[in-house]
């Protein structure tokens, strides 16, 4: 996070027919010096791009691909997201060329890590990580800037306005080691 390159994070596309062998397509949307074609699908002109969640909806014949991605203005002189750091929504006809849909996503997901899903029963669901409110005697590990990074859940009917699910909260308690932090847990239905 503190490197010179973190502010230039981009989201890139790789393709596979079998999930084992992957190729990097040559797309012409975001060339870089010395390379007319790259596999970049979101570059850093509107802020660093990271933590993409792609949702495929085959029933939508016109726009079958949706993506939620973190856009951040972490450095002066680099690109900045139009409405500040946060998650933005995109759509695509082919999964390669993307366009923004609306403004920054509204909701409790204010941290740097969130995964979005489409749930048949609930609409959209997001699982995100934030630092829990600090309690007396909380320990802040030397590699972190906050105590008790914890996991939360939010839901949305339309994918734009989100509400925190008060029933879901995963955090360290007095039985866990004092350095316990939840990082990048990706939930899947089994």
């Amino acid at each position: 996070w503190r490197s010179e390159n973190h502010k230039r994070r981009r989201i890139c596309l790789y393709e596979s027919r079998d999930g084992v062998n992957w190729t990097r397509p040559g797309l012409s949307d975001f060339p870089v010096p010395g390379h007319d074609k790259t596999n970049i699908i979101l570059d850093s002109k509107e802020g660093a791009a990271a933590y993409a969640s792609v949702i495929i909806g085959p029933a939508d014949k016109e726009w079958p691909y949706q993506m939620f991605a973190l856009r951040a203005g972490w450095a002066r002189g680099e690109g900045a997201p139009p409405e500040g750091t946060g998650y933005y929504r995109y759509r695509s006809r082919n999964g390669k060329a993307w366009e923004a849909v609306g403004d920054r996503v509204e909701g409790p997901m204010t941290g740097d890590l969130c995964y979005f899903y489409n749930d048949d029963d609930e609409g959209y669901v997001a699982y995100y990580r934030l630092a829990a409110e600090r309690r007396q005697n909380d320990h802040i590990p030397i590699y972190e800037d906050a105590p008790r990074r914890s996991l939360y859940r939010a839901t949305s009917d339309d994918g734009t306005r989100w509400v925190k699910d008060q029933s879901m909260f995963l955090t360290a308690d007095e039985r866990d080691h004092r350095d316990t932090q939840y990082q990048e847990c990706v939930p899947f239905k089994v």
Side-chain angles (χ1 to χ4, degrees):
W1 285 103
R2 296 190 187 353
S3 77
E4 178 63 24
N5 291 321
H6 84 277
K7 62 190 172 193
R8 294 187 186 95
R9 288 182 177 199
R10 299 170 175 96
I11 295 175
C12 299
L13 174 69
Y14 287 83
E15 298 174 314
S16 175
R17 293 197 180 279
D18 60 10
V20 175
N21 301 295
W22 294 84
T23 59
R24 182 172 45 192
L27 308 173
S28 55
D29 295 333
F30 300 104
V32 296
H35 302 278
D36 292 336
K37 294 190 176 213
T38 67
N39 64 327
I40 300 169
I41 58 174
L42 283 183
D43 76 349
S44 56
K45 290 179 184 153
E46 289 191 353
Y51 297 116
S53 294
V54 175
I55 299 170
I56 302 170
D60 185 345
K61 300 297 182 199
E62 187 175 3
W63 299 100
Y65 298 93
Q66 294 182 64
M67 177 172 42
F68 292 88
L70 175 66
R71 300 309 297 257
W74 285 316
R76 236 181 258 191
E78 296 295 322
E83 295 195 21
T85 295
Y87 282 88
Y88 289 79
R89 190 173 175 191
Y90 299 86
R91 67 182 183 181
S92 174
R93 296 179 197 281
N94 61 10
K96 297 178 182 181
W98 295 85
E99 68 177 45
V101 177
D103 301 324
R104 185 177 67 190
V105 171
E106 298 175 24
M109 304 84 66
T110 58
D112 63 353
L113 185 61
C114 185
Y115 295 101
F116 296 84
Y117 301 90
N118 196 353
D119 185 279
D120 292 336
D121 298 325
E122 296 185 87
Y124 293 92
V125 177
Y127 293 92
Y128 59 100
R129 177 197 75 181
L130 290 175
E133 188 174 314
R134 189 165 186 181
R135 299 182 299 210
Q136 186 177 4
N137 299 326
D138 266 346
H139 169 72
I140 300 177
I142 59 170
Y143 53 84
E144 283 293 343
D145 58 0
R148 296 183 305 114
R149 294 224 186 258
S150 303
L151 299 179
Y152 301 85
R153 183 177 188 268
T155 59
S156 173
D157 293 332
D158 62 6
T160 302
R161 290 175 302 282
W162 292 79
V163 176
K164 183 177 180 180
D165 179 348
Q166 299 295 335
S167 69
M168 194 280 186
F169 175 58
L170 179 61
T171 192
D173 64 21
E174 65 278 353
R175 295 172 296 196
D176 292 311
H177 188 274
R178 67 186 198 142
D179 281 352
T180 299
Q181 302 272 331
Y182 290 97
Q183 306 277 2
E184 303 187 34
C185 293
V186 183
F188 288 103
K189 283 186 177 181
V190 180

